[in-house]
Amino acid sequence: MQTNPKEAHVADGTAAPGGGERDIPKLDTTVPQTARIWNYLLGGKDNFAVDREVGDQIIAGLPQLAENARLSRAYLARAVRYLAGEAGIRQFLDIGTGLPTADNTHEVAQSVAPDSRIVYVDNDPLVLAHARALLTTSPEGATDYIDADIRDSKTILGEAARTLDLDKPVALILMGILGHIESDDEARTLIRSFTDHLPSGSYVAMYDGSDTSPDNTEAVRIWNISANPKYHLRTPEQFVGLFEGLEIVEPGAVSVTRWHPEPGAENANEIDQYAVVGRKP
């Protein structure tokens, strides 16, 4: 494992190549950041007073948001389990990773298929500082971390190719990140900037906040007063529209609680976080 945080990190039992020359941005503890607020809502400790203040303001308006954050995280685990299991995917590109917590993508994927290879991508300086927590792996698999912005698909794919074979199917994981892209056209173009370079049989899995309740709309209004970057809600129909050219996996765009629920949870309450999984034909 590399010790220089400015270099790309690889964990696979082999020497890690150098890369990722972008300077680490300065950590600003006076401005609330999405990854840290979400970490607070998930019960984590990697956050600052300014993040907790915004989180508390949001929870005051939408008390169930912390539980919704946990339900969304549970969906991530189910989606990855489905992709590594039923779909047979062995490679994962997780963009907008967020701070390490329970059931990270590599942990879930490698629990199903130990030879799974995972590349994480984020550009939050605190996530970068904690990236080593993501760099555990089964002996058969590998993990990597890239410090980059989702808009820089060329760099991401180039660096990911050190760990992933991009001639074989890849699952692109976009959890809670496309809400930071206001334009549907831009969000659709961003997805295609990756899927156009991935082979048939690749998947895209995402969730984001929907405009399906006044409470959620108000919570996002409060969020956008202070948090950075801003967040934008979409309708379920808009989510499907982002997957142009992909085959939508059943049951389509649904509340995260209704996407392949665990046995006994089929009638769980719907929440305003919506999930979609698509396959490249």
Side-chain angles (χ1 to χ4, degrees):
M1 184 181 300
Q2 294 283 358
T3 57
N4 181 353
K6 291 178 67 175
E7 295 180 347
H9 305 278
V10 177
D12 65 353
T14 64
E21 296 301 324
R22 186 169 74 85
D23 288 340
I24 301 172
K26 182 179 179 181
L27 181 62
D28 188 346
T29 63
T30 67
V31 177
Q33 293 287 337
T34 297
R36 301 196 306 254
I37 297 171
W38 203 245
N39 175 264
Y40 173 59
L41 295 175
L42 285 168
K45 298 180 179 179
D46 296 314
N47 48 74
F48 300 103
V50 66
D51 308 304
R52 296 188 288 274
E53 181 180 352
V54 173
D56 288 340
Q57 290 173 0
I58 295 169
I59 291 172
L62 191 66
Q64 65 270 34
L65 187 61
E67 176 63 14
N68 289 358
R70 290 187 284 272
L71 292 171
S72 298
R73 190 72 183 183
Y75 156 71
L76 165 65
R78 294 198 309 278
V80 172
R81 199 173 295 119
Y82 166 86
L83 292 166
E86 187 172 335
I89 297 295
R90 296 295 179 267
Q91 304 188 112
F92 297 80
L93 181 58
D94 186 337
I95 304 178
T97 303
L99 288 158
T101 182
D103 291 333
N104 296 298
T105 297
H106 73 282
E107 295 170 327
V108 177
Q110 291 181 350
S111 72
V112 176
D115 59 335
S116 295
R117 304 176 74 83
I118 296 88
V119 173
Y120 292 106
V121 182
D122 210 303
N123 69 338
D124 184 293
L126 189 60
V127 177
L128 177 60
H130 288 264
R132 289 183 182 84
L134 297 170
L135 294 175
T136 57
T137 183
S138 64
E140 304 93 332
T143 61
D144 191 1
Y145 180 86
I146 299 170
D147 176 29
D149 188 279
I150 186 175
R151 294 174 177 86
D152 192 359
S153 59
K154 182 177 180 180
T155 294
I156 292 172
L157 290 170
E159 294 193 18
R162 293 195 306 267
T163 303
L164 308 179
D165 181 350
L166 300 184
D167 290 327
K168 296 180 179 179
V170 174
L172 179 64
I173 308 296
L174 302 172
M175 300 298 180
I177 187 171
L178 293 178
H180 298 300
I181 308 298
E182 182 174 8
S183 163
D184 284 4
D185 287 341
E186 183 182 1
R188 190 179 301 110
T189 298
L190 281 174
I191 293 176
R192 297 225 25 196
S193 72
F194 291 96
T195 58
D196 282 353
H197 299 281
L198 299 177
S200 297
S202 294
Y203 284 80
V204 180
M206 65 157 285
Y207 77 76
D208 260 304
S210 71
D211 66 351
T212 45
S213 79
D215 285 345
N216 204 41
T217 300
E218 175 62 12
V220 169
R221 187 191 69 80
I222 296 171
W223 178 290
N224 286 340
I225 291 173
S226 303
N228 180 49
K230 305 299 183 187
Y231 196 82
H232 309 279
L233 301 176
R234 289 186 167 93
T235 67
E237 292 75 20
Q238 283 177 294
F239 289 136
V240 172
L242 301 182
F243 280 58
E244 185 177 71
L246 302 178
E247 299 171 345
I248 303 298
V249 174
E250 292 294 335
V254 294
S255 167
V256 294
T257 58
R258 299 295 179 88
W259 199 92
H260 292 239
E262 301 289 352
E266 292 85 357
N267 296 317
N269 290 335
E270 294 187 3
I271 66 172
D272 296 308
Q273 299 286 95
Y274 267 61
V276 187
V277 175
R279 179 183 182 275
K280 182 174 180 177

